[in-house]
Amino acid sequence: MAWKIALAGIGKIARDQHVPSIAASRDFDLAATVTRHEGVDGVENHADIEAMLAARPDIEVVSLCLPPVPRFEYAAAAIKAGRHVMLEKPPGATLAECHALEAMARNAGVSIYATWHSREAASVEAARNWLADKRLKSLKITWLEDVRRWHPGQEWIWEPGGLGVFDPGINALSILTRILPTPVHLAGATLKFPENRQTPIAADLAFRHPDGAEVSAVFDWRKEGDQFWNIEAETDRGTMELSDGGANLSIDGAMVEASDVALEGEYPNLYMRMAEILRTGGIDMDLSPMVHVADAFLLGKREIVAPFHE
Amino acid sequence: MAWKIALAGIGKIARDQHVPSIAASRDFDLAATVTRHEGVDGVENHADIEAMLAARPDIEVVSLCLPPVPRFEYAAAAIKAGRHVMLEKPPGATLAECHALEAMARNAGVSIYATWHSREAASVEAARNWLADKRLKSLKITWLEDVRRWHPGQEWIWEPGGLGVFDPGINALSILTRILPTPVHLAGATLKFPENRQTPIAADLAFRHPDGAEVSAVFDWRKEGDQFWNIEAETDRGTMELSDGGANLSIDGAMVEASDVALEGEYPNLYMRMAEILRTGGIDMDLSPMVHVADAFLLGKREIVAPFHE
């Protein structure tokens, strides 16, 4: 038996990832969408979340792919109506609202899942396993992409709460917090704000590691040509490179093959994980990637850089 | 029997509050200070926390009054040396480091206390008790003070991680999170940065309350003359005004007398509370006021205002 699911927020990420992943899933049937804009061919659409919840009591799960700022109201409405909730990353616009959603879900007895799709990339678990018994000397995240290519017309990423370059950067941080055996915390950061925008276009982060390893990150949205989403780590027993956003792993220069399960794909894996959570009635709200982002805004030095025009 | 305590970071708040509170406490004896600058007359001083910890194994408790950015290293050193730790507000420069300190303290079996001195103001508990059974309609925080008067020469408050006007503002938020029966979360904020500074001089915050009450805050460091630290709340059964930073409470215009215990004073109460925590072996790391501040930096609209010169 498959769960009937509604998808709210039909933008680029919904069309590119969520719709095909649900279509391919044995666990979920896409029963409705919620959007004020164009819906999905052949799927019932509602302009309003409350209207959908009232019209479709048979829909047990709501997956939210809206930008972070409006997401809370949708999630709160779904939980109040007794539905399980799956949240695109980041799980909200503030940490306090995520804490509130978790408490609401617990009180309502429904499941809630803060997804981190990059953690499902094919080689992330292999990297985690390899690092588990090594002493880390240094780790460097390099996340360089062209915002014009990956976020065309997405004005919300430049508005307050839109995160700017931390929208992709939080993917790197979701991998970092998954693969490191011990947590790190931010020791310093520089955030580069275009003079005509509210969110940073680039950032440099330095973390403190309990054993003194050098852990740092560079995020930059101004990279044209080749794109880089790499994490390199040097340990007491070799080096690893996790490249292409977690898809590929090499140890001391030799490629490691990913497992079949890992190769299913990031979003199909998220929906498999959601089905597991629903079967066990659990809650998965790991906010650690978002804590690092909030810390970067709190502690970061602000620099004003050249204006950005799309 | 009194615990021997060391005080690290001998600045304005240490001299004004911590030293006299410890002197008046039956629970603690000030056995050492740690500062690279001027110490306290008649008290052994060490320039370095590690040196103090090595020289004085008899000192069981370390109270940290340094600015937030250097605080982590001192706290981590004290915990590693098996000492109990008391932290001035805010408990750190990042949320992740506070989570790390709590985990370290748990592993080491020592107590850690993130203090919020404004919660100990004379009428805060009375306000909490009064609000507990009322339906909130609106709550407005007004925190207006003159930075030149209260933070003379404190350059760190303008540096990244120094919080700016959120240094006093977090006091208001520590009261808010104590007196409200249900948590709120930030829905929007404007942060005003002087063009020559890294931290805001003023901020407007709007919160979302689960029952739709209007909850807001205005923090401004540019207020000359009369100073205001007030919280006004309107409920279904009357209004309250908590004024003078929590010292005084009036209900529907009539003053409420504070209890004798509450009147001991904010910092004496913090040290009494620390003694309780030490007796029971507990941990008290409520980060909710700091979560709201991190959320404000994360979600806030940045505005550049006139430069600030002391």
Side-chain angles (χ1 to χ4, degrees), chain A residues 23-58:
Chain A
S25 168
R26 289 172 308 179
D27 295 310
F28 297 99
D29 287 334
L30 184 58
T33 55
V34 182
T35 178
R36 282 189 211 101
H37 308 290
E38 200 187 338
V40 173
D41 274 352
V43 179
E44 172 186 321
N45 184 58
H46 296 264
D48 182 85
I49 181 85
E50 297 285 3
M52 186 281 288
L53 293 165
R56 297 298 303 269
D58 58 317

mmCIF file of all heavy atoms in Angstrom, chain A residues 23-58:
data_model
loop_
_atom_site.group_PDB
_atom_site.id
_atom_site.type_symbol
_atom_site.label_atom_id
_atom_site.label_comp_id
_atom_site.label_asym_id
_atom_site.label_seq_id
_atom_site.Cartn_x
_atom_site.Cartn_y
_atom_site.Cartn_z
ATOM 1 N N ALA A 23 6.974 9.733 -8.403
ATOM 2 C CA ALA A 23 6.443 8.893 -9.496
ATOM 3 C C ALA A 23 7.119 7.525 -9.508
ATOM 4 O O ALA A 23 6.480 6.499 -9.769
ATOM 5 C CB ALA A 23 6.642 9.595 -10.842
ATOM 6 N N ALA A 24 8.413 7.481 -9.185
ATOM 7 C CA ALA A 24 9.167 6.229 -9.220
ATOM 8 C C ALA A 24 9.038 5.429 -7.927
ATOM 9 O O ALA A 24 9.483 4.286 -7.851
ATOM 10 C CB ALA A 24 10.648 6.542 -9.486
ATOM 11 N N SER A 25 8.435 6.026 -6.904
ATOM 12 C CA SER A 25 8.394 5.378 -5.586
ATOM 13 C C SER A 25 7.216 4.416 -5.474
ATOM 14 O O SER A 25 6.104 4.725 -5.900
ATOM 15 C CB SER A 25 8.275 6.457 -4.498
ATOM 16 O OG SER A 25 7.952 5.872 -3.257
ATOM 17 N N ARG A 26 7.447 3.262 -4.862
ATOM 18 C CA ARG A 26 6.349 2.331 -4.576
ATOM 19 C C ARG A 26 5.620 2.752 -3.306
ATOM 20 O O ARG A 26 4.554 2.248 -2.996
ATOM 21 C CB ARG A 26 6.895 0.912 -4.386
ATOM 22 C CG ARG A 26 7.392 0.279 -5.661
ATOM 23 C CD ARG A 26 8.075 -1.034 -5.343
ATOM 24 N NE ARG A 26 9.104 -0.831 -4.301
ATOM 25 C CZ ARG A 26 9.852 -1.789 -3.791
ATOM 26 N NH1 ARG A 26 9.675 -3.049 -4.182
ATOM 27 N NH2 ARG A 26 10.765 -1.525 -2.881
ATOM 28 N N ASP A 27 6.228 3.648 -2.527
ATOM 29 C CA ASP A 27 5.662 4.013 -1.223
ATOM 30 C C ASP A 27 4.662 5.166 -1.283
ATOM 31 O O ASP A 27 3.864 5.324 -0.371
ATOM 32 C CB ASP A 27 6.795 4.398 -0.258
ATOM 33 C CG ASP A 27 7.703 3.224 0.044
ATOM 34 O OD1 ASP A 27 7.178 2.147 0.391
ATOM 35 O OD2 ASP A 27 8.938 3.372 -0.074
ATOM 36 N N PHE A 28 4.765 6.013 -2.312
ATOM 37 C CA PHE A 28 3.946 7.231 -2.345
ATOM 38 C C PHE A 28 3.221 7.394 -3.677
ATOM 39 O O PHE A 28 3.758 7.045 -4.726
ATOM 40 C CB PHE A 28 4.828 8.466 -2.102
ATOM 41 C CG PHE A 28 5.475 8.475 -0.743
ATOM 42 C CD1 PHE A 28 6.801 8.059 -0.588
ATOM 43 C CD2 PHE A 28 4.754 8.864 0.374
ATOM 44 C CE1 PHE A 28 7.397 8.039 0.669
ATOM 45 C CE2 PHE A 28 5.352 8.846 1.638
ATOM 46 C CZ PHE A 28 6.667 8.428 1.787
ATOM 47 N N ASP A 29 1.982 7.911 -3.591
ATOM 48 C CA ASP A 29 1.229 8.335 -4.779
ATOM 49 C C ASP A 29 1.003 9.833 -4.694
ATOM 50 O O ASP A 29 0.441 10.312 -3.694
ATOM 51 C CB ASP A 29 -0.151 7.645 -4.819
ATOM 52 C CG ASP A 29 -0.030 6.176 -5.181
ATOM 53 O OD1 ASP A 29 0.950 5.807 -5.860
ATOM 54 O OD2 ASP A 29 -0.911 5.398 -4.749
ATOM 55 N N LEU A 30 1.385 10.558 -5.705
ATOM 56 C CA LEU A 30 1.163 12.011 -5.718
ATOM 57 C C LEU A 30 -0.316 12.284 -5.963
ATOM 58 O O LEU A 30 -0.821 12.118 -7.076
ATOM 59 C CB LEU A 30 2.031 12.683 -6.786
ATOM 60 C CG LEU A 30 1.946 14.218 -6.831
ATOM 61 C CD1 LEU A 30 2.343 14.836 -5.504
ATOM 62 C CD2 LEU A 30 2.827 14.766 -7.952
ATOM 63 N N ALA A 31 -1.026 12.701 -4.902
ATOM 64 C CA ALA A 31 -2.485 12.838 -4.966
ATOM 65 C C ALA A 31 -2.932 14.274 -5.162
ATOM 66 O O ALA A 31 -4.067 14.518 -5.582
ATOM 67 C CB ALA A 31 -3.099 12.276 -3.681
ATOM 68 N N ALA A 32 -2.086 15.223 -4.831
ATOM 69 C CA ALA A 32 -2.450 16.634 -5.002
ATOM 70 C C ALA A 32 -1.206 17.499 -4.954
ATOM 71 O O ALA A 32 -0.161 17.096 -4.418
ATOM 72 C CB ALA A 32 -3.423 17.079 -3.900
ATOM 73 N N THR A 33 -1.335 18.690 -5.526
ATOM 74 C CA THR A 33 -0.298 19.700 -5.374
ATOM 75 C C THR A 33 -0.942 20.950 -4.775
ATOM 76 O O THR A 33 -2.160 21.118 -4.833
ATOM 77 C CB THR A 33 0.364 20.070 -6.722
ATOM 78 O OG1 THR A 33 -0.663 20.465 -7.637
ATOM 79 C CG2 THR A 33 1.138 18.898 -7.300
ATOM 80 N N VAL A 34 -0.092 21.800 -4.177
ATOM 81 C CA VAL A 34 -0.558 23.083 -3.657
ATOM 82 C C VAL A 34 0.349 24.158 -4.231
ATOM 83 O O VAL A 34 1.552 24.196 -3.935
ATOM 84 C CB VAL A 34 -0.505 23.128 -2.112
ATOM 85 C CG1 VAL A 34 -1.047 24.472 -1.602
ATOM 86 C CG2 VAL A 34 -1.288 21.974 -1.490
ATOM 87 N N THR A 35 -0.217 24.996 -5.092
ATOM 88 C CA THR A 35 0.542 26.119 -5.644
ATOM 89 C C THR A 35 -0.421 27.138 -6.211
ATOM 90 O O THR A 35 -1.509 26.789 -6.683
ATOM 91 C CB THR A 35 1.548 25.665 -6.732
ATOM 92 O OG1 THR A 35 2.204 26.830 -7.247
ATOM 93 C CG2 THR A 35 0.873 24.929 -7.876
ATOM 94 N N ARG A 36 0.003 28.404 -6.145
ATOM 95 C CA ARG A 36 -0.802 29.476 -6.774
ATOM 96 C C ARG A 36 -0.390 29.632 -8.230
ATOM 97 O O ARG A 36 -1.002 30.373 -8.977
ATOM 98 C CB ARG A 36 -0.596 30.802 -6.020
ATOM 99 C CG ARG A 36 -1.404 30.839 -4.739
ATOM 100 C CD ARG A 36 -1.390 32.215 -4.082
ATOM 101 N NE ARG A 36 -1.487 32.030 -2.631
ATOM 102 C CZ ARG A 36 -0.470 32.102 -1.794
ATOM 103 N NH1 ARG A 36 0.734 32.407 -2.231
ATOM 104 N NH2 ARG A 36 -0.644 31.888 -0.503
ATOM 105 N N HIS A 37 0.670 28.937 -8.616
ATOM 106 C CA HIS A 37 1.148 29.035 -9.999
ATOM 107 C C HIS A 37 0.792 27.749 -10.739
ATOM 108 O O HIS A 37 -0.168 27.093 -10.392
ATOM 109 C CB HIS A 37 2.650 29.325 -9.988
ATOM 110 C CG HIS A 37 2.967 30.504 -9.124
ATOM 111 N ND1 HIS A 37 2.630 31.795 -9.461
ATOM 112 C CD2 HIS A 37 3.537 30.581 -7.892
ATOM 113 C CE1 HIS A 37 2.993 32.621 -8.490
ATOM 114 N NE2 HIS A 37 3.554 31.902 -7.528
ATOM 115 N N GLU A 38 1.592 27.365 -11.703
ATOM 116 C CA GLU A 38 1.284 26.193 -12.522
ATOM 117 C C GLU A 38 1.510 24.898 -11.742
ATOM 118 O O GLU A 38 2.560 24.745 -11.108
ATOM 119 C CB GLU A 38 2.170 26.211 -13.771
ATOM 120 C CG GLU A 38 1.631 25.360 -14.907
ATOM 121 C CD GLU A 38 2.646 25.291 -16.052
ATOM 122 O OE1 GLU A 38 3.505 26.183 -16.131
ATOM 123 O OE2 GLU A 38 2.573 24.332 -16.854
ATOM 124 N N GLY A 39 0.542 23.963 -11.794
ATOM 125 C CA GLY A 39 0.671 22.699 -11.085
ATOM 126 C C GLY A 39 1.375 21.632 -11.928
ATOM 127 O O GLY A 39 2.231 21.954 -12.758
ATOM 128 N N VAL A 40 1.035 20.384 -11.660
ATOM 129 C CA VAL A 40 1.650 19.254 -12.366
ATOM 130 C C VAL A 40 0.560 18.599 -13.230
ATOM 131 O O VAL A 40 -0.542 18.328 -12.730
ATOM 132 C CB VAL A 40 2.222 18.245 -11.351
ATOM 133 C CG1 VAL A 40 2.703 16.978 -12.035
ATOM 134 C CG2 VAL A 40 3.342 18.881 -10.528
ATOM 135 N N ASP A 41 0.856 18.337 -14.492
ATOM 136 C CA ASP A 41 -0.131 17.751 -15.422
ATOM 137 C C ASP A 41 -0.781 16.504 -14.838
ATOM 138 O O ASP A 41 -0.084 15.574 -14.422
ATOM 139 C CB ASP A 41 0.544 17.372 -16.750
ATOM 140 C CG ASP A 41 0.590 18.571 -17.691
ATOM 141 O OD1 ASP A 41 -0.035 19.607 -17.360
ATOM 142 O OD2 ASP A 41 1.257 18.464 -18.746
ATOM 143 N N GLY A 42 -2.108 16.486 -14.835
ATOM 144 C CA GLY A 42 -2.837 15.284 -14.412
ATOM 145 C C GLY A 42 -2.980 15.136 -12.908
ATOM 146 O O GLY A 42 -3.501 14.131 -12.432
ATOM 147 N N VAL A 43 -2.490 16.149 -12.116
ATOM 148 C CA VAL A 43 -2.593 16.059 -10.655
ATOM 149 C C VAL A 43 -3.476 17.209 -10.149
ATOM 150 O O VAL A 43 -3.300 18.364 -10.556
ATOM 151 C CB VAL A 43 -1.193 16.131 -9.984
ATOM 152 C CG1 VAL A 43 -1.316 16.056 -8.465
ATOM 153 C CG2 VAL A 43 -0.299 15.017 -10.521
ATOM 154 N N GLU A 44 -4.438 16.854 -9.292
ATOM 155 C CA GLU A 44 -5.335 17.844 -8.690
ATOM 156 C C GLU A 44 -4.526 18.941 -7.985
ATOM 157 O O GLU A 44 -3.624 18.636 -7.212
ATOM 158 C CB GLU A 44 -6.198 17.079 -7.660
ATOM 159 C CG GLU A 44 -7.070 17.928 -6.782
ATOM 160 C CD GLU A 44 -7.763 17.046 -5.719
ATOM 161 O OE1 GLU A 44 -8.189 15.906 -6.034
ATOM 162 O OE2 GLU A 44 -7.854 17.494 -4.566
ATOM 163 N N ASN A 45 -4.877 20.188 -8.256
ATOM 164 C CA ASN A 45 -4.156 21.288 -7.592
ATOM 165 C C ASN A 45 -5.083 22.160 -6.746
ATOM 166 O O ASN A 45 -6.247 22.366 -7.097
ATOM 167 C CB ASN A 45 -3.453 22.182 -8.613
ATOM 168 C CG ASN A 45 -2.628 23.260 -7.916
ATOM 169 O OD1 ASN A 45 -1.750 22.948 -7.120
ATOM 170 N ND2 ASN A 45 -2.934 24.526 -8.173
ATOM 171 N N HIS A 46 -4.548 22.633 -5.616
ATOM 172 C CA HIS A 46 -5.246 23.607 -4.776
ATOM 173 C C HIS A 46 -4.347 24.829 -4.644
ATOM 174 O O HIS A 46 -3.133 24.689 -4.513
ATOM 175 C CB HIS A 46 -5.520 23.015 -3.391
ATOM 176 C CG HIS A 46 -6.451 21.848 -3.426
ATOM 177 N ND1 HIS A 46 -7.802 21.957 -3.190
ATOM 178 C CD2 HIS A 46 -6.230 20.537 -3.707
ATOM 179 C CE1 HIS A 46 -8.377 20.766 -3.296
ATOM 180 N NE2 HIS A 46 -7.443 19.880 -3.603
ATOM 181 N N ALA A 47 -4.960 26.009 -4.645
ATOM 182 C CA ALA A 47 -4.161 27.233 -4.503
ATOM 183 C C ALA A 47 -3.745 27.432 -3.055
ATOM 184 O O ALA A 47 -2.804 28.166 -2.762
ATOM 185 C CB ALA A 47 -4.954 28.436 -5.005
ATOM 186 N N ASP A 48 -4.426 26.758 -2.152
ATOM 187 C CA ASP A 48 -4.299 27.066 -0.735
ATOM 188 C C ASP A 48 -4.130 25.775 0.080
ATOM 189 O O ASP A 48 -4.845 24.789 -0.155
ATOM 190 C CB ASP A 48 -5.605 27.784 -0.330
ATOM 191 C CG ASP A 48 -5.601 28.218 1.113
ATOM 192 O OD1 ASP A 48 -5.071 29.293 1.391
ATOM 193 O OD2 ASP A 48 -6.136 27.453 1.952
ATOM 194 N N ILE A 49 -3.189 25.764 1.018
ATOM 195 C CA ILE A 49 -2.929 24.563 1.809
ATOM 196 C C ILE A 49 -4.139 24.172 2.655
ATOM 197 O O ILE A 49 -4.493 22.983 2.733
ATOM 198 C CB ILE A 49 -1.652 24.729 2.689
ATOM 199 C CG1 ILE A 49 -1.353 23.469 3.521
ATOM 200 C CG2 ILE A 49 -1.756 25.910 3.652
ATOM 201 C CD1 ILE A 49 -0.583 22.409 2.822
ATOM 202 N N GLU A 50 -4.814 25.160 3.253
ATOM 203 C CA GLU A 50 -5.972 24.864 4.103
ATOM 204 C C GLU A 50 -7.075 24.209 3.263
ATOM 205 O O GLU A 50 -7.733 23.269 3.714
ATOM 206 C CB GLU A 50 -6.508 26.131 4.784
ATOM 207 C CG GLU A 50 -5.540 26.805 5.751
ATOM 208 C CD GLU A 50 -5.391 26.068 7.088
ATOM 209 O OE1 GLU A 50 -5.994 24.980 7.277
ATOM 210 O OE2 GLU A 50 -4.630 26.578 7.938
ATOM 211 N N ALA A 51 -7.274 24.712 2.052
ATOM 212 C CA ALA A 51 -8.295 24.149 1.155
ATOM 213 C C ALA A 51 -7.958 22.701 0.811
ATOM 214 O O ALA A 51 -8.836 21.820 0.817
ATOM 215 C CB ALA A 51 -8.400 24.994 -0.115
ATOM 216 N N MET A 52 -6.695 22.430 0.523
ATOM 217 C CA MET A 52 -6.286 21.064 0.199
ATOM 218 C C MET A 52 -6.503 20.139 1.390
ATOM 219 O O MET A 52 -7.052 19.030 1.241
ATOM 220 C CB MET A 52 -4.810 21.047 -0.240
ATOM 221 C CG MET A 52 -4.309 19.693 -0.734
ATOM 222 S SD MET A 52 -3.888 18.505 0.580
ATOM 223 C CE MET A 52 -2.372 19.210 1.224
ATOM 224 N N LEU A 53 -6.108 20.606 2.581
ATOM 225 C CA LEU A 53 -6.252 19.762 3.780
ATOM 226 C C LEU A 53 -7.726 19.459 4.061
ATOM 227 O O LEU A 53 -8.080 18.339 4.454
ATOM 228 C CB LEU A 53 -5.601 20.445 4.994
ATOM 229 C CG LEU A 53 -4.065 20.581 4.921
ATOM 230 C CD1 LEU A 53 -3.569 21.575 5.974
ATOM 231 C CD2 LEU A 53 -3.373 19.228 5.077
ATOM 232 N N ALA A 54 -8.579 20.458 3.840
ATOM 233 C CA ALA A 54 -10.018 20.259 4.068
ATOM 234 C C ALA A 54 -10.618 19.327 3.021
ATOM 235 O O ALA A 54 -11.439 18.453 3.335
ATOM 236 C CB ALA A 54 -10.730 21.614 4.052
ATOM 237 N N ALA A 55 -10.198 19.486 1.769
ATOM 238 C CA ALA A 55 -10.793 18.705 0.666
ATOM 239 C C ALA A 55 -10.291 17.265 0.636
ATOM 240 O O ALA A 55 -10.994 16.370 0.150
ATOM 241 C CB ALA A 55 -10.462 19.383 -0.675
ATOM 242 N N ARG A 56 -9.084 17.024 1.129
ATOM 243 C CA ARG A 56 -8.462 15.717 0.963
ATOM 244 C C ARG A 56 -7.994 15.099 2.289
ATOM 245 O O ARG A 56 -6.795 14.932 2.521
ATOM 246 C CB ARG A 56 -7.281 15.821 -0.021
ATOM 247 C CG ARG A 56 -7.649 16.245 -1.436
ATOM 248 C CD ARG A 56 -8.584 15.241 -2.123
ATOM 249 N NE ARG A 56 -8.014 13.911 -2.170
ATOM 250 C CZ ARG A 56 -7.265 13.433 -3.177
ATOM 251 N NH1 ARG A 56 -7.027 14.198 -4.239
ATOM 252 N NH2 ARG A 56 -6.806 12.202 -3.154
ATOM 253 N N PRO A 57 -8.967 14.704 3.146
ATOM 254 C CA PRO A 57 -8.573 14.047 4.411
ATOM 255 C C PRO A 57 -7.843 12.719 4.175
ATOM 256 O O PRO A 57 -7.206 12.200 5.092
ATOM 257 C CB PRO A 57 -9.911 13.837 5.130
ATOM 258 C CG PRO A 57 -10.957 13.941 4.081
ATOM 259 C CD PRO A 57 -10.427 14.855 3.020
ATOM 260 N N ASP A 58 -7.940 12.169 2.952
ATOM 261 C CA ASP A 58 -7.263 10.903 2.642
ATOM 262 C C ASP A 58 -5.766 11.065 2.408
ATOM 263 O O ASP A 58 -5.027 10.074 2.379
ATOM 264 C CB ASP A 58 -7.909 10.266 1.405
ATOM 265 C CG ASP A 58 -7.852 11.197 0.192
ATOM 266 O OD1 ASP A 58 -8.108 12.416 0.352
ATOM 267 O OD2 ASP A 58 -7.542 10.709 -0.911
#
